[in-house]
């Protein structure tokens, strides 16, 4: 029987054994459910705190505040003529949550003004800040009205500066400003997500390969298996099988997580719409402000160079997985049953992964800087750094060169790992040093 | 005609020579003993035969062809350290291992069911290996080794860890397979197990071959011309001592060494005349263990002398 058939058998076994495990099924299904649940709970809490209006009674002897200016959907202010002393006794029974007393503003030049409040409940930091902001605004309005400046002049004094990339706008012609702040934010977020995904994939599935190698060695089944297939075939089958497990899990998550989040946001949306219009109002506010424009976000996302990003990401994803999981397999074969000793051998694998991940912020601070270019070319870093660089439209020749180097390294690394693996799996009861591993590379058959 | 021939095989690990210029032939259709103490190089040798490792030099010929990666499907190998996937079900695991040996799935399924039925363990099919006792796992391992009808079966310490009942069961199966034409290499350090089973042996020590040949011929060659006489009565002490040497003498048993290639009938004649009632008269052949100790001891002492 040919090696390919045997490889296929091994891949099939490695895949099925893992996919059928209860722990795998639970992790695959519970992770999206957990994320959905967290989204639901936080959404629910946000909406419930929003719908829980607070009634505030205001004692404002000098009459400097206007209750209409203060009131919003969450806090309803009512001015009262009663004395503070009476209200202190009765505000709760009259149905108010909070009593606020604003003393007279004696000097218009004062930059601080202390206001007292009385409440049976403890106020959250957020509520305190919101009330403070409202009162500040009211007092500012009062100060303006008492001065010579009219509100209109004051408004005209404010100005925002926006930097716009004139070069790329001119180049591309079609889009107004493709390197706007928004596109940089979106690219950075995407960059971070892709870098992080690679980081997780390498560690989670790489160590899965390692454990699987160790298990076969400790079980001693390995000698039976390699009397039927070449050790390299066994190692490769394992790497591919576990890789497919990873792809299965990621695909399920990629489908389930957005689906669940959509369901959650839809039910939440209905929920809040029933009680109040606040959520819609907030979204509307956000959309109106320049900071966060939903249509602009979608627009920017669709303008990313997906034709480059998606295929390249797949290449770097597979390349990174193969390089690191075969290294993990080599280490697993050398460890045997002493995990403590394995930690030391794992260091040379863990360090480059962490280094590469640390480079990611440097990449989106300076996508064409020396760190980004080096990191996205060196094959141990490029599987993490290049995907992080992809949203920033790196030069095509650099991407292709990096891919070529990566593919070459994958072949070299799996070959090297295979040499270590075939010696390691038959080696028992011996503490292995790096020097020893180096020697294994040159052992004959 | 030999199923397996080794010619001048050498395997070196970086600090020692595990297999040192070893040559021998395994006759087709016979049970062959690969003997030697622990660490003699048996496992290294077996790994070369099973294509797990490659010899540094020398030739390994399986059934007329130099060993290559098509051969594993014709070999069944049960390592000394047994191992199965603990979390896998028995049936699934056996089918997987049989498929790796090149059997089609259907045929593997049919044959395995036959084997399990034969051992009366068909109801283990859906059990996980970790649920089985050690002895049960050994049976599964044995089935995994033989299910693809190998031409050459290599068993490394097949009886270690087995109780007497299972030992006999496996012994019977080995005999049965041998009768059906399978050549078997039986590797062990327990030489007494081999005498009854194997026709031919090779004995290795410290990576070198010390002895090779037919078990009865070897015994013949290394015998000390000892005879055991079981008797009743009182022995008159005046046996003619020129050609005989009394090694031990108890109330009902004598062990006598015949010197100068004297005919054993002569001794018997004298004994018949000596007034005792003879119960048995038999030649004492050395055990392989004794032969091994004798050879290795000699080699050691000659080594020691050359070191002086």
């Amino acid at each position: 029987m040919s090696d390919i058939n045997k490889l296929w058998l091994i891949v099939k076994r490695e895949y099925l054994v893992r996919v059928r495990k209860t722990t795998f099924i639970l992790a695959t299904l519970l992770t999206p459910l957990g994320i959905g649940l967290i989204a639901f709970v936080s959404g629910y809490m946000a909406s419930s705190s929003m719908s829980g209006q607070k009634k505030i009674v205001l004692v404002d002897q000098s009459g400097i505040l206007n209750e209409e200016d203060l009131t919003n959907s969450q806090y309803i202010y009512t001015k009262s003529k009663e004395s503070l002393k009476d209200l202190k006794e009765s505000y709760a029974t009259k149905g108010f949550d909070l009593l606020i007393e604003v003393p007279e503003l004696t000097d218009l030049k004062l930059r601080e003004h202390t206001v007292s409040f009385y409440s049976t409940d403890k106020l959250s930091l957020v509520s305190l800040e919101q009330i403070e902001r409202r009162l500040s605004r009211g007092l500012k309005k009062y100060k303006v009205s008492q001065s010579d400046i009219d509100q209109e002049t004051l408004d005209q004094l404010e100005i925002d500066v926006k930097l716009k990339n004139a070069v790329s706008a001119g180049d591309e012609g079609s889009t107004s400003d493709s390197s706007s702040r928004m596109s940089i934010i979106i690219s950075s977020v995407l960059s971070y997500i892709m870098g992080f995904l690679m980081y997780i994939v390498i560690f989670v599935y790489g160590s899965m390969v390692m454990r699987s190698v160790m298990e076969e060695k400790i079980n001693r089944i390995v000698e039976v298996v390699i009397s039927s297939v070449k050790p390299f075939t066994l190692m490769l089958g394992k790497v591919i099988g576990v890789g497919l497990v990873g792809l299965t899990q990621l695909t399920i998550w990629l489908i389930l997580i957005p689906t669940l989040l959509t369901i959650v946001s839809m039910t939440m949306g209905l929920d809040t719409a029933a009680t109040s219009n606040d959520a819609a109002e907030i979204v509307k506010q956000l959309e109106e402000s320049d900071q966060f424009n939903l249509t602009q976000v979608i627009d920017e996302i669709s303008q990313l160079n997906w034709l480059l990003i998606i295929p390249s990401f797949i290449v770097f994803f597979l390349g990174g997985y193969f390089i690191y999981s075969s290294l993990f397999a080599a280490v697993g074969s050398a460890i045997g049953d002493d995990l403590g000793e394995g930690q030391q051998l794992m260091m040379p694998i863990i360090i480059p992964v962490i280094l590469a991940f640390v480079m990611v912020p440097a990449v989106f601070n300076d996508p064409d800087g020396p760190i980004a270019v080096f990191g996205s070319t060196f094959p141990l870093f490029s599987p993490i750094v290049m995907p992080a660089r992809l949203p920033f439209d790196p030069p095509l020749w650099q991407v292709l060169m990096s891919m070529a180097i990566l593919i070459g390294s994958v072949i070299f690394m799996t070959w090297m790992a295979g040499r270590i693996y075939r010696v390691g799996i038959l080696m028992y009861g011996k503490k292995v040093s790096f020097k020893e591993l180096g020697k294994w590379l040159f052992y004959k058959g | 005609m030999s199923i397996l021939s080794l010619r001048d095989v050498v395997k070196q690990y970086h600090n020692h020579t595990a297999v040192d210029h070893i040559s021998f032939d395994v006759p087709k259709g016979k049970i062959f003993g690969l003997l030697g103490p622990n660490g003699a190089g048996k496992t290294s040798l077996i790994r070369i035969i099973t294509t797990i490792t490659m010899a540094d030099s020398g030739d390994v010929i399986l059934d007329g062809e130099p060993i290559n990666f098509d051969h594993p499907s014709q070999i069944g190998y049960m390592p000394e350290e047994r191992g199965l996937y603990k979390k896998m079900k028995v049936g699934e695991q056996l089918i997987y291992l049989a498929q790796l040996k090149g059997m089609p799935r259907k045929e593997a399924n049919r044959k395995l069911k036959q084997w399990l039925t034969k051992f009366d363990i068909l109801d283990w099919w859906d059990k996980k290996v970790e649920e089985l006792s050690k002895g049960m796992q050994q049976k599964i391992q044995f089935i995994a080794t033989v299910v693809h009808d190998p031409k050459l079966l290599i068993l490394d310490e097949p009886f270690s860890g087995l109780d007497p009942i299972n030992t006999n069961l496996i012994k019977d199966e080995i005999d049965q397979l041998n009768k059906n034409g399978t050549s078997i290499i039986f590797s062990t350090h327990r030489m007494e197990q081999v005498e009854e089973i194997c026709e031919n042996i090779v004995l290795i020590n410290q990576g070198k071959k010390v002895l090779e040949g037919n078990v009865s011929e070897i015994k013949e060659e290394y015998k000390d011309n000892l005879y055991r006489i079981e008797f009743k009565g009182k022995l008159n002490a005046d046996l003619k001592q020129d050609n005989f040497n009394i090694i031990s003498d108890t109330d009902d048993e004598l062990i006598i060494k015949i010197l100068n290639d004297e005919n054993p009938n002569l001794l018997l004649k004298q004994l018949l005349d000596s007034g005792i009632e003879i119960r048995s008269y038999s030649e004492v052949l050395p055990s392989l263990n004794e032969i091994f100790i004798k050879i290795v001891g000699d080699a050691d002492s000659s080594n020691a002398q050359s070191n002086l």
Side-chain angles (χ1 to χ4, degrees):
Chain A
M1 189 163 67
S2 73
D3 280 0
I4 293 291
N5 288 337
K6 289 184 181 177
L7 179 67
W8 169 237
L9 278 173
I10 293 165
V11 169
K12 207 168 81 180
R13 192 199 83 87
E14 295 289 337
Y15 181 78
L16 288 178
V17 159
R18 280 180 183 71
V19 168
R20 279 197 221 136
K21 261 192 198 159
T22 337
T23 46
F24 174 84
I25 297 169
L26 285 180
T28 310
L29 296 181
L30 287 185
T31 306
L33 275 180
I35 290 174
L37 195 70
I38 289 169
F40 182 80
V41 168
S42 56
Y44 180 78
M45 271 159 51
S47 74
S48 68
S49 74
M50 248 187 277
S51 58
Q53 286 180 333
K54 280 199 187 329
K55 287 184 176 164
I56 299 172
V57 59
L58 203 63
V59 176
D60 177 21
Q61 299 294 356
S62 50
I64 50 179
L65 290 170
N66 183 347
E67 56 192 26
E68 279 96 61
D69 286 344
L70 296 176
T71 298
N72 68 358
S73 51
Q74 264 182 288
Y75 300 95
I76 296 170
Y77 291 80
T78 316
K79 271 187 164 185
S80 171
K81 300 279 179 227
E82 287 180 66
S83 74
L84 180 67
K85 207 179 144 202
D86 291 344
L87 272 174
K88 264 199 237 172
E89 308 283 321
S90 61
Y91 79 96
T93 49
K94 285 181 177 163
F96 292 106
D97 299 298
L98 205 64
L99 164 62
I100 292 179
E101 191 233 346
V102 184
E104 190 184 351
L105 195 62
T106 45
D107 185 352
L108 282 177
K109 290 195 182 75
L110 273 181
R111 301 208 51 182
E112 251 177 44
H113 193 50
T114 310
V115 172
S116 323
F117 74 88
Y118 305 87
S119 168
T120 43
D121 303 328
K122 256 205 161 132
L123 284 186
S124 72
L125 200 61
V126 180
S127 308
L128 279 180
E129 280 181 352
Q130 277 175 334
I131 294 169
E132 278 173 355
R133 224 177 300 137
R134 279 277 156 179
L135 292 175
S136 302
R137 207 192 289 176
L139 286 172
K140 188 178 174 192
K141 202 174 169 190
Y142 169 71
K143 274 178 146 187
V144 171
S145 71
Q146 296 299 302
S147 68
D148 296 337
I149 316 162
D150 66 303
Q151 187 66 41
E152 206 180 326
T153 322
L154 194 70
D155 289 346
Q156 280 166 3
L157 285 176
E158 293 199 0
I159 183 156
D160 283 336
V161 174
K162 274 189 191 163
L163 271 178
K164 172 176 153 183
N165 187 335
V167 176
S168 72
D171 277 352
E172 309 210 340
S174 58
T175 56
S176 54
D177 53 344
S178 70
S179 288
S180 70
R181 186 174 311 261
M182 181 56 67
S183 90
I184 291 173
I185 291 172
I186 286 170
S187 298
S188 302
V189 169
L190 184 66
S191 157
Y192 197 77
I193 290 175
M194 291 208 286
F196 187 67
L197 190 66
M198 285 306 306
Y199 175 81
I200 293 292
V201 162
I202 287 171
F203 273 134
V204 171
Y205 302 107
S207 56
M208 206 184 266
V209 170
M210 187 179 82
R211 275 200 310 275
S212 157
V213 170
M214 285 169 62
E215 189 195 313
E216 279 184 359
K217 185 178 172 180
I218 295 164
N219 265 351
R220 308 269 178 164
I221 179 82
V222 72
E223 197 166 348
V224 175
V225 177
I226 61 170
S227 70
S228 306
V229 301
K230 288 177 204 158
F232 186 72
T233 313
L234 176 61
M235 187 187 90
L236 203 61
K238 220 170 248 309
V239 168
I240 296 174
V242 173
L244 289 176
V245 173
L247 284 179
T248 309
Q249 200 163 37
L250 288 178
T251 312
I252 294 174
W253 284 349
L254 228 55
I255 296 167
L256 273 188
I257 293 177
T259 314
L260 278 172
L261 286 182
T262 316
I263 293 172
V264 167
S265 71
M266 273 167 66
T267 51
M268 297 310 288
L270 290 173
D271 222 319
T272 48
T275 53
S276 73
N277 295 322
D278 288 343
E281 195 178 293
I282 285 170
V283 171
K284 211 175 147 198
Q285 272 176 9
L286 283 173
E287 279 185 11
E288 276 164 4
S289 73
D290 279 341
Q291 289 296 310
F292 205 84
N293 186 328
L294 210 66
T295 47
Q296 199 191 338
V297 169
I298 292 164
D299 205 41
E300 288 295 347
I301 289 177
S302 65
Q303 269 174 30
L304 284 169
N305 193 354
W306 290 107
L307 276 179
L308 173 74
I309 293 176
I310 293 173
S312 316
F313 181 72
I314 293 172
V315 171
F316 285 98
F317 179 91
L318 294 177
Y321 171 75
F322 266 90
I323 283 197
Y324 279 103
S325 58
S326 49
L327 286 178
F328 271 113
V331 168
S333 76
I335 294 176
D337 40 14
D338 187 0
L339 247 182
E341 181 191 310
Q343 302 281 307
Q344 182 213 341
L345 290 175
M346 273 162 65
M347 285 321 271
I349 309 181
I350 293 172
I351 287 171
V353 181
I354 290 174
L355 273 182
F357 191 59
V358 167
M359 286 181 192
V360 169
V363 169
F364 52 76
N365 281 335
D366 188 2
D368 288 316
I371 293 180
V373 173
F374 169 72
S376 60
T377 312
F378 184 65
L380 284 179
F381 298 155
S382 66
I384 291 173
V385 178
M386 189 51 110
R389 214 184 146 200
L390 285 172
F392 297 100
D393 238 341
L396 186 63
W397 68 269
Q398 283 188 11
V399 178
L400 292 178
M401 183 181 78
S402 168
M403 275 185 197
I405 293 174
L406 181 69
I407 291 166
S409 312
V410 165
I411 294 168
F412 175 72
M413 288 291 198
T414 26
W415 171 81
M416 201 182 84
R419 308 265 314 166
I420 294 176
Y421 175 83
R422 100 212 126 104
V423 181
I425 45 174
L426 293 175
M427 208 60 94
Y428 290 97
K430 196 169 170 185
K431 198 167 159 25
V432 178
S433 62
F434 289 117
K435 205 176 145 201
E436 187 82 25
L437 285 187
K439 279 187 194 161
W440 292 359
L441 282 179
F442 303 104
Y443 273 13
K444 279 178 276 176
Chain B
M1 184 67 187
S2 39
I3 181 83
L4 180 75
S5 303
L6 273 72
R7 291 285 162 267
D8 221 15
V9 172
V10 178
K11 177 76 186 175
Q12 250 173 333
Y13 291 107
H14 60 295
N15 47 10
H16 76 290
T17 308
V19 179
D20 194 356
H21 297 279
I22 285 187
S23 309
F24 62 83
D25 293 288
V26 179
K28 206 173 229 171
K30 298 278 164 64
I31 303 181
F32 182 87
L34 173 60
L35 306 183
N38 288 324
K42 299 190 297 290
T43 302
S44 300
L45 206 54
I46 291 173
R47 284 183 179 166
I48 292 168
I49 301 168
T50 50
T51 73
I52 290 175
T53 53
M54 267 158 50
D56 296 344
S57 66
D59 299 312
V60 180
I61 313 287
L62 183 75
D63 210 12
E65 272 179 70
I67 195 93
N68 62 56
F69 285 112
D70 290 331
H71 284 143
S73 62
Q74 301 169 24
I75 301 176
Y77 169 41
M78 183 158 83
E80 178 179 5
E81 297 283 357
R82 309 295 145 69
L84 293 166
Y85 291 108
K86 300 253 179 295
K87 307 259 176 211
M88 258 179 120
K89 285 177 182 166
V90 170
E92 208 182 340
Q93 169 145 244
L94 285 172
I95 287 181
Y96 172 65
L97 292 173
Q99 280 183 302
L100 283 185
K101 285 290 185 191
M103 276 182 105
R105 196 187 168 87
K106 266 192 182 161
E107 197 195 332
N109 189 49
R110 188 179 55 81
K111 280 229 149 187
L112 285 167
K113 293 232 156 109
Q114 277 178 13
W115 271 102
L116 289 181
T117 315
K118 191 172 183 183
F119 281 0
D120 201 21
I121 52 177
L122 191 60
D123 52 330
W124 295 357
W125 188 266
D126 278 324
K127 274 196 181 153
K128 280 187 182 169
V129 170
E130 60 187 352
E131 295 170 40
L132 304 180
S133 74
K134 236 183 158 184
M136 292 167 166
Q137 292 184 19
Q138 298 247 40
K139 281 188 196 169
I140 303 294
Q141 190 105 42
F142 182 78
I143 294 172
T145 312
V146 299
V147 66
H148 59 290
D149 280 331
K151 279 186 199 171
L152 177 64
L153 188 60
I154 302 174
L155 306 170
D156 199 354
E157 304 286 359
F159 304 134
S160 78
L162 281 183
D163 60 39
I165 294 171
N166 282 321
T167 302
N168 275 335
L169 188 82
I170 300 291
K171 242 183 213 170
D172 290 347
E173 286 310 321
I174 293 174
D175 276 345
Q176 192 63 45
L177 286 165
N178 180 239
K179 281 200 185 89
N180 294 340
T182 311
S183 313
I184 296 165
I185 296 180
F186 182 162
S187 162
T188 183
H189 68 279
R190 297 181 54 192
M191 315 210 184
E192 74 280 1
Q193 283 186 341
V194 172
E195 300 188 22
E196 29 179 315
I197 300 175
C198 301
E199 271 180 70
N200 294 284
I201 59 149
V202 63
L203 186 64
I204 61 175
N205 187 40
Q206 293 178 341
K208 292 192 178 68
K209 181 171 81 179
V210 229
L211 192 64
E212 179 191 5
N214 182 286
V215 173
S216 37
E217 282 169 22
I218 288 173
K219 288 193 169 188
E220 200 64 31
E221 187 183 336
Y222 283 88
K223 72 178 181 187
D224 284 325
N225 288 331
L226 294 180
Y227 287 81
R228 172 187 288 116
I229 303 102
E230 287 179 314
F231 65 94
K232 220 176 164 184
K234 182 115 176 64
L235 178 72
N236 300 326
D238 55 350
L239 271 177
K240 200 178 152 201
Q241 296 274 326
D242 293 356
N243 292 324
F244 312 120
N245 207 346
I246 297 174
I247 302 292
S248 82
D249 179 5
T250 58
D251 279 351
D252 53 5
E253 190 189 80
L254 264 177
I255 291 179
I256 295 177
K257 187 177 171 81
I258 300 178
L259 305 170
N260 311 326
D261 281 331
E262 189 60 81
N263 191 331
N265 288 357
L266 226 67
L267 173 63
L268 185 59
K269 212 175 248 169
Q270 285 206 23
L271 287 167
L272 288 172
D273 297 341
S274 71
I276 52 167
E277 186 184 330
I278 294 174
R279 288 290 166 87
S280 75
Y281 180 70
S282 62
E283 189 176 15
V284 180
L285 287 173
S287 70
L288 285 174
N289 223 351
E290 287 162 344
I291 295 173
F292 173 73
I293 289 166
K294 190 171 170 187
I295 297 171
V296 170
D298 285 355
D300 280 353
S301 56
S302 67
N303 272 349
Q305 272 167 8
S306 66
N307 283 344
L308 279 175

